[in-house]
Amino acid sequence: MITQKIALITGGSRGIGKDIAMNLSQKGVDILFTYRSNKSEAEATVAAIQSFGRKAVALPLDTSQPNTFPAFFEQAQVILQDKFATDRFDFLINNAGTSVTAPVTETTEAQFDEMMNIHLKGVYFFTQKALDYLRDGGRIVNISSAVSRQTFSGASAYAIMKGAIDVYTRYLALELGPRGIRANVVAPGAIFGGSAMQDSPEIRTFVAGITALGRVGLPDDIGGVVAFLCSEDAKWVNGQRIEVTGGVGL
Ligand SMILES: NC(=O)c1ccc[n+]([C@@H]2O[C@H](COP(=O)([O-])OP(=O)(O)OC[C@H]3O[C@@H](n4cnc5c(N)ncnc54)[C@H](OP(=O)(O)O)[C@@H]3O)[C@@H](O)[C@H]2O)c1
């Protein structure tokens, strides 16, 4: 018997998270995803997933607020039972996030805390709570960034938190091995088309110029890699970081 797979994706309403949701749903996975505040965009993504014949539910969540996570998972559990006829999901994709750009000398404590809460503390404790509902043998994919390996001026606060997620993922892989749960990182380069990346013709020209494949990255470049890590083809990939940049800093 084939058990229906379900993915929980944070920030699945647009950008990279939406592409992950679309790619997984096209491969037959049902989707529970979160958005922060843009409900109409989330509803459009639900409709797009449903057009592939898959189930989709969107829930609001601010991943920088760990005190809200217990209530979120109580709500998610009801939805899993009512809409998906199960009490577990199979794939956790920690994707939600924004960025700040400021040199070290100008980064404020508020900016640093914002990055820490969204990209580190939020991911750490959201995953911790999610483990009660993630099926044994499931997968965790954390969306990091190329900037955790390569340095770009102005990215320090953001990049530090992404670097911490790379480390966290290895610990998840180690400690969850007995449950058969694999944890890996996907580290995109600059991806244009979402609001997390500053966008201008000059920045696009610069990024294309440092990319071996000679163009900028798009959300559509990422979802398939995440779907691969969730597939049985990647069953022996664990605790790894896959950089998806088209070839930057080689
Ligand atoms: N774009 C890039 O160049 C790039 C490169 C490397 C890594 N990444 C990483 O990839 C992930 C997605 O980036 P993206 O460019 O696709 O972003 P995006 O297009 O701006 O979409 C962000 C998504 O996350 C949600 N979100 C934002 N802040 C949130 C918060 N505090 N709590 C919960 N949800 C929140 C948004 O919901 P609303 O629409 O409701 O606000 C939206 O669904 C991020 O972790 C980012 O750091 C991005």
Side-chain angles (χ1 to χ4, degrees), residues 9-13 33-39 42 58-62:
I9 305 168
T10 65
S13 55
F33 73 83
T34 74
Y35 62 99
R36 182 176 49 178
S37 56
N38 192 334
K39 191 174 181 190
L59 289 177
L61 173 75
D62 185 342

Side-chain angles (χ1 to χ4, degrees), residues 145-150 185-189 241-246 248-249:
S145 168
V147 298
S148 68
R149 183 177 72 90
Q150 302 161 28
V185 161
V186 167
R241 176 184 182 280
I242 299 183
E243 206 163 282
V244 188
T245 65
V248 175

Side-chain angles (χ1 to χ4, degrees), residues 124-144:
Y124 190 104
F125 288 103
F126 191 75
T127 304
Q128 184 189 69
K129 289 279 176 295
L131 289 174
D132 291 340
Y133 307 93
L134 181 63
R135 206 179 300 284
D136 288 356
R139 312 294 166 93
I140 298 170
V141 181
N142 291 326
I143 305 302
S144 175

Side-chain angles (χ1 to χ4, degrees), residues 11-16 35-38 61-63 95-98 118-119 143-145 158 162 188-191 194-197:
S13 55
R14 59 190 168 90
I16 292 170
Y35 62 99
R36 182 176 49 178
S37 56
N38 192 334
L61 173 75
D62 185 342
T63 55
N95 163 79
T98 54
I118 294 174
H119 287 295
I143 305 302
S144 175
S145 168
Y158 171 76
K162 291 298 197 184
I191 299 296
S195 60
M197 180 71 207

Side-chain angles (χ1 to χ4, degrees), residues 15-155:
I16 292 170
K18 179 178 180 179
D19 188 65
I20 295 168
M22 302 302 285
N23 203 297
L24 283 169
S25 61
Q26 283 175 289
K27 293 180 169 75
V29 176
D30 288 334
I31 309 290
L32 175 59
F33 73 83
T34 74
Y35 62 99
R36 182 176 49 178
S37 56
N38 192 334
K39 191 174 181 190
S40 59
E41 196 137 17
E43 286 172 347
T45 300
V46 166
I49 295 167
Q50 288 171 339
S51 74
F52 297 131
R54 301 278 30 118
K55 293 178 186 168
V57 174
L59 289 177
L61 173 75
D62 185 342
T63 55
S64 69
Q65 304 289 326
N67 61 324
T68 67
F69 296 167
F72 172 84
F73 278 106
E74 278 174 28
Q75 193 184 5
Q77 193 176 32
V78 171
I79 285 168
L80 283 172
Q81 282 164 349
D82 289 356
K83 306 263 187 199
F84 298 90
T86 183
D87 59 355
R88 292 278 182 278
F89 60 90
D90 302 274
F91 311 132
L92 170 64
I93 318 297
N94 284 306
N95 163 79
T98 54
S99 64
V100 297
T101 304
V104 170
T105 49
E106 290 169 24
T107 298
T108 65
E109 197 173 339
Q111 287 174 320
F112 187 94
D113 286 348
E114 182 192 355
M115 289 297 96
M116 185 173 67
N117 289 333
I118 294 174
H119 287 295
L120 175 53
K121 190 173 177 185
V123 173
Y124 190 104
F125 288 103
F126 191 75
T127 304
Q128 184 189 69
K129 289 279 176 295
L131 289 174
D132 291 340
Y133 307 93
L134 181 63
R135 206 179 300 284
D136 288 356
R139 312 294 166 93
I140 298 170
V141 181
N142 291 326
I143 305 302
S144 175
S145 168
V147 298
S148 68
R149 183 177 72 90
Q150 302 161 28
T151 46
F152 289 93
S153 286

